[in-house]
């Protein structure tokens, strides 16, 4: 069970890169390199909203409120890759837990 690392260019903010770590235990870490800004979320706090050529990744509080903790705009292809990596990490973790 290994973490996956990806780096994506943020389309709305020229020159900014998001380093994303997908941790199979259910956590996502994001570092905006140029701003030295770190963000974290549990998988179940994340939502993807597509609009045109971009997809917004939104982190909402788990407490059932609609309050947004943070959000990023990603290219659609990058968002699809990230969603697949999250799904794969969830499946890997579930398989590991079943085997225990």
């Amino acid at each position: 069970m290994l973490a996956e690392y990806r780096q994506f260019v943020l389309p709305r903010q020229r020159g900014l890169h998001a380093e994303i770590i997908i941790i199979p235990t259910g956590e996502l870490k994001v570092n905006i390199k140029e701003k030295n800004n770190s963000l974290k979320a549990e998988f179940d706090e994340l939502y993807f909203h597509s609009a045109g050529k971009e997809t917004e990744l939104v982190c909402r509080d788990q407490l059932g409120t609609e309050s947004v903790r943070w959000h990023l705009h990603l290219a659609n292809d990058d968002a699809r890759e990230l969603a697949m990596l999250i799904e794969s990490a969830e499946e890997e973790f579930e398989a590991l837990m079943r085997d225990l």
Side-chain angles (χ1 to χ4, degrees):
M1 185 165 70
L2 300 173
E4 291 279 345
Y5 294 82
R6 292 294 186 276
Q7 181 172 310
F8 300 120
V9 175
L10 301 178
R12 285 201 176 180
Q13 300 175 352
R14 290 197 172 138
L16 293 185
H17 299 82
E19 292 180 340
I20 299 178
I21 304 169
I22 302 99
I23 303 168
T25 55
E27 188 177 12
L28 183 85
K29 293 182 180 180
V30 180
N31 181 36
I32 309 300
K33 282 175 49 174
E34 294 79 8
K35 290 188 173 186
N36 199 23
N37 187 8
S38 295
L39 309 167
K40 291 182 184 181
E42 299 294 320
F43 290 165
D44 57 356
E45 297 173 324
L46 298 172
Y47 302 89
F48 291 89
H49 300 283
S50 277
K53 296 180 181 180
E54 295 179 2
T55 300
E56 184 178 20
L57 173 61
V58 178
C59 174
R60 291 202 171 129
D61 287 326
Q62 284 184 331
L63 302 175
T65 66
E66 291 296 314
S67 92
V68 173
R69 288 192 0 227
W70 55 264
H71 65 98
L72 290 175
H73 291 274
L74 300 169
N76 286 338
D77 289 343
D78 294 341
R80 273 191 291 279
E81 180 181 358
L82 181 57
M84 288 189 311
L85 289 168
I86 290 170
E87 183 177 336
S88 176
E90 288 175 323
E91 290 171 0
E92 182 181 346
F93 187 70
E94 287 174 13
L96 179 64
M97 291 294 109
R98 278 193 305 270
D99 292 344
L100 292 178

